[in-house]
Amino acid sequence: MSANSNEVQVGVERLFIGAGCNRIVNNVSWGACDLVSFGTQNAVAIFCPKIGQILITLPGHKAHVNCTHWLPSNKFAFKAKHLERHYLLSGDADGAITLWEFSLADKKWRHVLQVVEHKKGVTCITAIMVSDTDALFASTSSDGVVNVWEVILPSISGGECKLSCLDSLFVGRKPMVALSLAQLPGNSGQLVLATGGLDNKIHLYCGERTGKFVHACELKGHTDWIRSLDFSLPIYAKGETSSVLLVSSSQDKGIRIWKMALCDSLSNKGTSLASYIKGPAFVAGSSSYQISLESLLIGHEDWVYSVQWQPPQSSSTEGMEFYQPQSILSASMDKTMMIWQPEKTTGIWINVVTVGELSHSALGFYGGHWSPSGDSTLAHGYGGSFHLWKNVGIDFDDWKPQKVPSGHFATVSDISWARCGEYLLSVSHDQTTRVFAPWRNISSSEVGEAWHEIARPQVHGHDVNCVTIIKGKGNHRFVSGADEKVGRVFEAPLSFLKTLNHTNSWKFNSSDDLQADMQILGANMSALGLSQKPIYVQAPSSSVDRNSNEGIDTLETIPAAVPVVLTEPPIEEQLAWHTLWPESHKLYGHGNELFSLCCDHGGKLVASSCKAQSASVAEIWLWQVGSWKSVGRLHSHTLTVTQMEFSHDDNFLLTVSRDRHFSIFEIKQTGLDEISHQLVIRQEAHKRIIWACSWNPFGHEFATGSRDKTVKIWAVVNGSSVKLLTTLPTFKSSVTALSWLGVDRQRNQGLLAVGMENGLIELFSLSNAKAEDGSIPVLNAALVVQFDPLICHVSTVNRLRWKNSDKSEDSSAVQLASCGADHCVRVFEVKCS
């Protein structure tokens, strides 16, 4: 992407996307193309398991994405090796189903079509490939309807897809939440659809590719909701496909394997004792099938949310012959995934591999998935996290955790760059604070650096609304504000400082950042999840021996967290518990939940504001860094102050509010611990809420952005008044985020990043030429680039931040970070020339 203007040429590339998985079953799918799809808020995200990075987010849904399913899925990978295009189905909470096309040659995505047939949210999609250009899929919804669809795929790239609804099955007031489609064994061309849900039964429907589906029978046995169903591919016996297996899992903690065998003839219709023991029989076309319960698998201690047959492996060089491995992967809310296989001698199904057992770092798994090759398994958990294991053993099974993408699983409310730009800090309504940083690729085949989450400094009990990193000298510190009246100050422990040394971007200065007397190694979570207590560097063992209450004291002081220096990007188990920062201070004063924070550029003052409905509550508090005393209370606004920012010389504090006004305060340091502040101007600037503001780094010009879809550029004149310089052309959506980057101090030239409620981002070039009389500045503003929607957010952009790049770096490339309501943290590289 690039754009031309008279002044500046700009190109934009996506560097990083951090996002968590929607907390819902059936959300994840691993395709035959070896890419994983999942929903993150209203977007469909795609990640590559080989490099552990999210590649793209696809916009198009207007509600939360509930389920995704690849065409072909991992089950059909053995006959998809020659395909040039793969397809992806996604369903959302409004009942919309979207079809996407992915071209393997140029790695390009295309939105093919969207259909809204269901009246409520789509909860599950299952599909089978009938041929290279023909697929059938079924979708179920909480409206009590199961739809069966046929999709004719184009034979050429960019061709038209034809979608038709073959049948609609009304299942009653107890909706189905699990589906699986298969072709019945034999040459009948018959299909079978298994549905399971809230009535604890598995319902089987039979039909032809073009005809209606008829209810064949129901399978009873489970005593709670059916959560997952999966058909195997036909099982070969004596050179023929004689049976197919169905595996089901339930909230009754059990897994059942059902066998659907082709009967020799239709004459076997008698109601003999054997048929009662075996289970129901049904007729489909010219064949009849007998169902029997093959096995009952008991091992999980909580609801079993997903079961999946291991994908078939081709056994010939052409890759068309295959065998169905007798291996099942199950994932449960008991925090484990299990692989089940029949014992070689007895044929009894047993649990052969268990992974997980994450103790406190996860609240269970919502789904488990095989890789197409069957050597890796992926789980997604309650906290939006992924967990990937790979079998690295040669002669025996040895499952090891692998790197995966990570991120927030709720709205990301604020971000802040480290003072030298070595990492990015983000806070979210998922009640966590996370650190993302680039990491050297030493062992990877990828060249360069890849971004990863390297720490989770705060895991809280309230939604976190705002954050600011303390600038200036000293240790890394930040202040966060949540849905509580208290601001909390955190300080980096020794383990984090040493971990930073292994990332690509920073070498610590031992005299400055890594103090020789640093005694805090990490932090422990308190029982209520609000305060984080420090873990100190271990004292000498001799001091413990002198303790008279040794037994009791040892039990109390053994830390649950084990802070370690990370030499490679951490996995979820480490992040969730072992990378906390200790809380050093609390800032008491506000009457309501904190909403906005900012720090001055000298690292001496922090300003905070809270949610407010009156002038007395809407005051801004100033805190002195270090002593953390309150040194000022600024009064001006009558409603919530939405954003604040200090000018780059720290002389002024700019604040904007829901009351449609901006205010500018003059801040002066009058003594060691004394601050004087004066309201310079308060002005109504917009017709709606002002969401964002940003100063020009080279002067006293600033921008304000509002729900009225406008951005206005102002200048402070003589330190006592404000002049409107220009208003940018009206945007298509509310303006929710602004960030001003200084490009050329001589020409007072900069780039203004504008983020909107629709998730899109635009860059404007701003330059300030003095008029001939030297008095009135003339501002030139020009749109230089609109970001491609495929790299933008799909919902409101909550914050934009330019990296405070070092002067010694190549100034032609700068990094822009953004966060939004789509649960994503994004980093872009902007190249100016």
Side-chain angles (χ1 to χ4, degrees):
M1 292 174 59
S2 64
N4 286 306
S5 81
N6 297 329
E7 298 181 341
V8 68
Q9 191 173 18
V10 171
V12 181
E13 289 181 11
R14 172 200 58 80
L15 276 187
F16 170 70
I17 303 172
C21 182
N22 285 344
R23 191 188 285 179
I24 194 165
V25 188
N26 301 323
N27 191 245
V28 176
S29 179
W30 199 329
C33 57
D34 209 16
L35 295 178
V36 175
S37 62
F38 66 95
T40 174
Q41 207 239 9
N42 299 353
V44 178
I46 309 296
F47 89 79
C48 177
K50 289 181 179 175
I51 59 173
Q53 294 286 306
I54 297 175
L55 305 178
I56 196 170
T57 55
L58 306 174
H61 287 285
K62 294 178 182 174
H64 271 57
V65 176
N66 285 346
C67 49
T68 63
H69 192 91
W70 281 94
L71 286 174
S73 65
N74 51 3
K75 185 187 290 189
F76 297 97
F78 68 95
K79 54 179 175 181
K81 291 171 183 171
H82 63 286
L83 293 181
E84 296 176 358
R85 292 172 301 282
H86 288 243
Y87 293 84
L88 178 66
L89 291 159
S90 55
D92 69 25
D94 280 351
I97 297 172
T98 304
L99 179 67
W100 315 84
E101 181 186 84
F102 175 58
S103 172
L104 290 179
D106 56 8
K107 305 286 189 267
K108 291 283 177 61
W109 283 88
R110 180 171 73 98
H111 181 285
V112 179
L113 58 86
Q114 186 173 77
V115 61
V116 184
E117 193 76 17
H118 291 288
K119 294 174 182 173
K120 291 186 179 178
V122 182
T123 53
C124 182
I125 295 175
T126 183
I128 57 169
M129 296 291 290
V130 181
S131 69
D132 287 354
T133 57
D134 195 1
L136 290 176
F137 72 91
S139 60
T140 183
S141 163
S142 40
D143 61 7
V145 174
V146 176
N147 287 331
V148 183
W149 309 78
E150 182 179 37
V151 56
I152 307 295
L153 303 171
S155 54
I156 57 166
S157 182
E160 186 181 354
C161 283
K162 295 177 182 176
L163 181 68
S164 55
C165 185
L166 297 180
D167 202 359
S168 286
L169 310 171
F170 182 68
V171 297
R173 289 184 299 169
K174 293 188 174 180
M176 298 293 107
V177 294
L179 299 174
S180 188
L181 258 177
Q183 290 178 294
L184 281 168
N187 299 318
S188 60
Q190 293 283 322
L191 299 166
V192 59
L193 170 66
T195 69
L198 280 58
D199 64 356
N200 308 348
K201 302 172 190 172
I202 300 168
H203 299 269
L204 296 182
Y205 296 85
C206 292
E208 296 180 357
R209 277 184 48 195
T210 54
K212 298 292 182 184
F213 277 72
V214 180
H215 190 276
C217 63
E218 57 187 38
L219 307 179
K220 298 177 183 177
H222 287 294
T223 57
D224 207 335
W225 291 8
I226 312 291
R227 295 311 306 223
S228 182
L229 296 166
D230 191 33
F231 277 112
S232 70
L233 282 152
I235 307 296
Y236 281 95
K238 299 175 184 176
E240 294 181 347
T241 57
S242 61
S243 62
V244 66
L245 297 175
L246 172 68
V247 61
S248 61
S249 71
S250 165
Q251 290 180 186
D252 65 9
K253 308 174 190 175
I255 300 166
R256 289 172 181 257
I257 304 173
W258 312 83
K259 185 175 184 180
M260 223 167 286
L262 180 65
C263 296
D264 293 336
S265 68
L266 287 175
S267 59
N268 185 19
K269 284 188 176 178
T271 56
S272 63
L273 181 63
S275 66
Y276 278 114
I277 295 172
K278 287 179 180 176
F282 66 92
V283 178
S286 59
S287 305
S288 76
Y289 299 87
Q290 176 71 56
I291 299 174
S292 57
L293 180 63
E294 180 85 356
S295 188
L296 172 62
L297 313 182
I298 300 295
H300 285 294
E301 298 173 0
D302 208 333
W303 297 357
V304 186
Y305 264 138
S306 87
V307 280
Q308 191 177 89
W309 288 97
Q310 183 175 335
Q313 306 301 303
S314 59
S315 55
S316 68
T317 52
E318 289 79 21
M320 294 314 293
E321 293 178 28
F322 65 91
Y323 68 94
Q324 171 66 62
Q326 296 291 286
S327 182
I328 292 170
L329 176 70
S330 62
S332 166
M333 284 299 277
D334 68 4
K335 308 166 191 169
T336 63
M337 279 202 304
M338 294 181 178
I339 297 175
W340 306 81
Q341 292 172 357
E343 201 183 24
K344 289 177 182 176
T345 52
T346 62
I348 296 172
W349 285 78
I350 58 170
N351 167 27
V352 293
V353 176
T354 301
V355 293
E357 297 166 348
L358 302 172
S359 62
H360 40 242
S361 73
L363 291 171
F365 293 146
Y366 276 148
H369 303 269
W370 289 99
S371 66
S373 58
D375 65 349
S376 299
T377 59
L378 176 75
H380 66 105
Y382 179 83
S385 56
F386 286 106
H387 309 261
L388 178 65
W389 287 271
K390 185 172 184 179
N391 186 4
V392 297
I394 299 170
D395 299 324
F396 58 92
D397 282 354
D398 185 14
W399 294 84
K400 296 291 187 189
Q402 306 293 309
K403 287 197 292 277
V404 286
S406 65
H408 296 283
F409 58 93
T411 295
V412 188
S413 43
D414 203 356
I415 48 176
S416 184
W417 284 98
R419 55 180 179 236
C420 298
E422 55 267 42
Y423 58 84
L424 181 68
L425 188 75
S426 63
V427 296
S428 164
H429 292 173
D430 69 4
Q431 306 186 347
T432 65
T433 300
R434 304 182 189 228
V435 172
F436 299 95
W439 201 287
R440 282 189 299 264
N441 278 317
I442 299 172
S443 58
S444 171
S445 58
E446 293 286 310
V447 181
E449 61 186 25
W451 282 71
H452 294 277
E453 183 181 350
I454 65 164
R456 208 165 291 171
Q458 183 184 13
V459 178
H460 203 39
H462 296 288
D463 295 3
V464 191
N465 297 324
C466 49
V467 70
T468 186
I469 285 183
I470 309 301
K471 295 166 185 171
K473 292 185 178 180
N475 194 9
H476 297 258
R477 290 173 292 181
F478 72 87
V479 185
S480 71
D483 274 346
E484 56 179 346
K485 303 173 184 179
V486 185
R488 297 176 186 269
V489 186
F490 295 85
E491 190 161 333
L494 191 62
S495 58
F496 177 80
L497 296 174
K498 290 184 174 180
T499 295
L500 262 189
N501 190 37
H502 293 282
T503 68
N504 195 39
S505 56
W506 190 62
K507 291 287 182 187
F508 60 75
N509 183 336
S510 57
S511 63
D512 182 11
D513 285 306
L514 189 63
Q515 291 116 16
D517 58 350
M518 169 73 79
Q519 292 298 308
I520 297 174
L521 189 62
N524 253 328
M525 176 61 65
S526 69
L528 292 176
L530 294 176
S531 292
Q532 291 168 195
K533 309 295 183 189
I535 298 172
Y536 292 95
V537 176
Q538 291 297 318
S541 54
S542 57
S543 63
V544 177
D545 295 338
R546 291 190 226 109
N547 196 326
S548 57
N549 297 328
E550 186 182 346
I552 301 168
D553 203 52
T554 305
L555 284 172
E556 288 182 350
T557 54
I558 290 175
V562 185
V564 292
V565 179
L566 301 168
T567 56
E568 61 181 15
I571 56 174
E572 178 68 20
E573 287 80 346
Q574 296 165 305
L575 286 169
W577 207 248
H578 304 312
T579 59
L580 294 170
W581 291 18
E583 184 183 307
S584 61
H585 292 87
K586 293 182 178 70
L587 309 180
Y588 294 99
H590 284 289
N592 282 335
E593 300 94 333
L594 265 68
F595 195 83
S596 177
L597 285 163
C598 75
C599 178
D600 68 357
H601 297 82
K604 296 176 181 175
L605 286 178
V606 167
S608 63
S609 73
C610 70
K611 296 177 183 177
Q613 299 270 332
S614 63
S616 59
V617 183
E619 62 185 358
I620 296 157
W621 286 60
L622 294 179
W623 310 88
Q624 185 182 50
V625 173
S627 69
W628 297 110
K629 292 190 296 187
S630 170
V631 291
R633 293 162 71 173
L634 314 182
H635 296 267
S636 172
H637 295 287
T638 57
L639 294 173
T640 306
V641 174
T642 54
Q643 195 179 355
M644 306 175 287
E645 190 174 297
F646 284 92
S647 62
H648 286 251
D649 58 7
D650 288 339
N651 289 336
F652 296 107
L653 174 64
L654 169 65
T655 64
V656 294
S657 166
R658 286 179 176 269
D659 63 14
R660 307 173 186 180
H661 290 70
F662 68 74
S663 299
I664 295 177
F665 298 88
E666 187 175 19
I667 309 290
K668 287 183 179 176
Q669 182 106 19
T670 56
L672 284 176
D673 291 339
E674 293 180 9
I675 299 289
S676 72
H677 50 83
Q678 178 185 352
L679 177 63
V680 174
I681 192 163
R682 177 176 186 265
Q683 182 167 326
E684 183 170 356
H686 292 270
K687 297 174 183 174
R688 305 290 298 276
I689 293 170
I690 307 177
W691 281 124
C693 62
S694 187
W695 285 99
N696 175 9
F698 298 148
H700 288 156
E701 296 86 17
F702 62 91
T704 57
S706 164
R707 184 181 278 174
D708 65 11
K709 304 180 182 178
T710 63
V711 171
K712 297 183 178 180
I713 314 294
W714 313 77
V716 179
V717 181
N718 300 325
S720 59
S721 63
V722 167
K723 175 182 174 59
L724 177 63
L725 298 181
T726 190
T727 302
L728 299 186
T730 305
F731 293 86
K732 294 178 181 177
S733 184
S734 302
V735 175
T736 53
L738 294 171
S739 188
W740 196 323
L741 170 75
V743 176
D744 186 340
R745 186 178 290 274
Q746 296 296 323
R747 294 188 292 161
N748 195 18
Q749 186 181 29
L751 279 177
L752 181 67
V754 181
M756 288 167 273
E757 193 174 34
N758 60 11
L760 301 182
I761 300 171
E762 297 182 359
L763 293 185
F764 282 79
S765 170
L766 302 176
S767 59
N768 230 163
K770 290 280 184 183
E772 291 182 3
D773 58 2
S775 57
I776 306 168
V778 177
L779 189 85
N780 298 315
L783 173 66
V784 290
V785 70
Q786 293 176 315
F787 285 26
D788 185 334
L790 284 174
I791 66 171
C792 286
H793 295 272
V794 301
S795 297
T796 306
V797 181
N798 286 332
R799 196 75 80 222
L800 291 166
R801 299 276 191 212
W802 292 100
K803 179 179 176 179
N804 15 355
S805 51
D806 194 353
K807 295 281 197 310
S808 62
E809 293 181 16
D810 178 14
S811 58
S812 67
V814 286
Q815 289 179 4
L816 173 67
S818 67
C819 68
D822 61 357
H823 309 176
C824 291
V825 173
R826 297 169 190 264
V827 180
F828 307 97
E829 185 166 76
V830 179
K831 293 181 179 175
C832 312
S833 56

